[in-house]
Amino acid sequence: MKTTLLQTDIRWADPEANRQRLEQRLAELPPADLYVFPEMFSTGFCTDPEGIAEENVHEGTLAWMQRVAASRNCALAGSVAVKEDGKFYNRFYFVYPDGKWCFYDKKHLFTYGGEHKTFTAGKERVIVTYRNVRILLQVCYDLRFPVWSRNRKDYDMAIYVASWPTPRVEAWNALLRARAIENQCYVAGVNRVGEDPYCHYCGGTVLIDPYGRTLEACRQGEEDQVTADIDLEELERFRRKFPVLDDADTFEINLMPMKNN
């Protein structure tokens, strides 16, 4: 599965401009099976989503993703701020070439940045299957919580879309590699560049193989893209030769109701 990761700058709270820019960039790229965008790629990481979050799935960013996916015969992935039944979600859309779509709502909201004050946390761990690759969907701060992404032999690749600021980029680099090694999977980390009203971002977009090796990485601090193949045959050979997942600890995840103070 040929996968392209797009490291982008994002114009603050301007979905139309961001979609147009992405469509221009896609038109310049060679074909791929999957294109992945950063967290909240249509607006930037905005924790005050009133008036910005999208409500109508038949318009706006999701509809745009469906149109572009169909025209390029590819899948598109990335997160968007949405409003549903009066609640806000940081929603990771995965859109298939035929227009069907799945989504994952970010579980670990970034309390340090106030995301928990306006957004509602998701409760479901989501794995999609595309061209025989089983893909775990994750968003930014989820990366710091390894139990949530623990491989139960149910996925082959994890995608982390992010708005991860420059001062903590070394944590981003280390944790992505750790997730690939401990879960014996491919890991795609897609981060933005540029600035918003609160932070500076230097990227760090990378595709890592199950050995923890970098397959491709974007240039630091610049808009860029990289493409690499997800090789399931190589992954299965490695897992058979060195069956780490067979020795994993057993556990259960109990989701407790959140309390408001």
Side-chain angles (χ1 to χ4, degrees):
M1 183 180 73
K2 190 175 295 296
T3 301
T4 296
L5 314 180
L6 286 93
Q7 181 169 281
T8 66
D9 195 355
I10 301 172
R11 186 175 295 182
W12 185 250
D14 193 341
E16 183 61 30
N18 290 315
R19 291 191 296 260
Q20 287 182 2
R21 173 62 180 140
L22 277 172
E23 193 157 357
Q24 290 172 357
R25 287 188 63 183
L26 288 171
E28 298 168 356
L29 297 177
D33 298 300
L34 170 64
Y35 298 88
V36 187
F37 310 137
E39 178 183 23
M40 290 196 191
F41 67 88
S42 63
T43 60
F45 182 65
C46 181
T47 56
D48 184 15
E50 188 65 57
I52 295 175
E54 301 186 14
E55 297 186 62
N56 189 343
V57 298
H58 302 295
E59 299 176 357
T61 302
L62 178 57
W64 173 83
M65 293 174 77
Q66 290 175 305
R67 177 177 61 78
V68 173
S71 67
R72 295 185 64 89
N73 189 32
C74 67
L76 299 179
S79 93
V80 179
V82 303
K83 186 176 184 180
E84 182 178 270
D85 298 328
K87 296 180 179 180
F88 297 105
Y89 298 92
N90 188 340
R91 181 160 290 175
F92 187 161
Y93 284 122
F94 190 99
V95 179
Y96 294 86
D98 63 1
K100 294 179 181 178
W101 50 279
C102 297
F103 69 87
Y104 160 70
D105 289 333
K106 185 178 181 182
K107 166 69 166 61
H108 297 95
L109 301 178
F110 189 47
T111 56
Y112 183 80
E115 187 179 17
H116 67 298
K117 296 178 181 178
T118 49
F119 285 82
T120 298
K123 296 181 178 180
E124 295 186 15
R125 183 173 175 273
V126 176
I127 295 169
V128 301
T129 300
Y130 175 61
R131 301 198 172 165
N132 297 320
V133 180
R134 301 169 301 169
I135 305 169
L136 176 72
L137 307 183
Q138 301 274 275
V139 181
C140 203
Y141 196 42
D142 286 329
L143 180 60
R144 290 186 179 267
F145 302 92
V147 172
W148 186 240
S149 63
R150 185 61 177 163
N151 197 340
R152 309 170 194 175
K153 297 186 179 181
D154 55 358
Y155 70 86
D156 309 303
M157 177 183 184
I159 298 176
Y160 291 87
V161 298
S163 292
W164 197 286
T166 300
R168 296 184 291 277
V169 74
E170 289 305 320
W172 164 260
N173 295 334
L175 292 172
L176 287 172
R177 199 168 306 281
R179 297 295 89 83
I181 294 168
E182 71 192 10
N183 292 305
Q184 216 168 20
C185 69
Y186 289 94
V187 166
V190 185
N191 194 26
R192 65 162 294 184
V193 292
E195 296 183 354
D196 64 21
Y198 308 101
C199 295
H200 178 269
Y201 306 90
C202 64
T205 296
V206 64
L207 186 60
I208 301 170
D209 76 6
Y211 295 87
R213 302 175 302 200
T214 298
L215 293 177
E216 295 288 348
C218 287
R219 294 186 296 270
Q220 201 82 345
E222 301 178 30
E223 285 198 310
D224 196 14
Q225 62 279 324
V226 291
T227 300
D229 286 319
I230 304 303
D231 189 338
L232 287 183
E233 292 184 1
E234 173 59 26
L235 175 61
E236 288 307 314
R237 281 195 295 269
F238 177 41
R239 287 176 171 176
R240 287 194 301 268
K241 180 180 178 181
F242 189 53
V244 173
L245 299 180
D246 289 346
D247 298 323
D249 299 315
T250 58
F251 66 93
E252 293 181 358
I253 297 176
N254 295 314
L255 294 175
M256 303 299 293
M258 297 181 65
K259 295 182 180 180
N260 296 320
N261 296 321

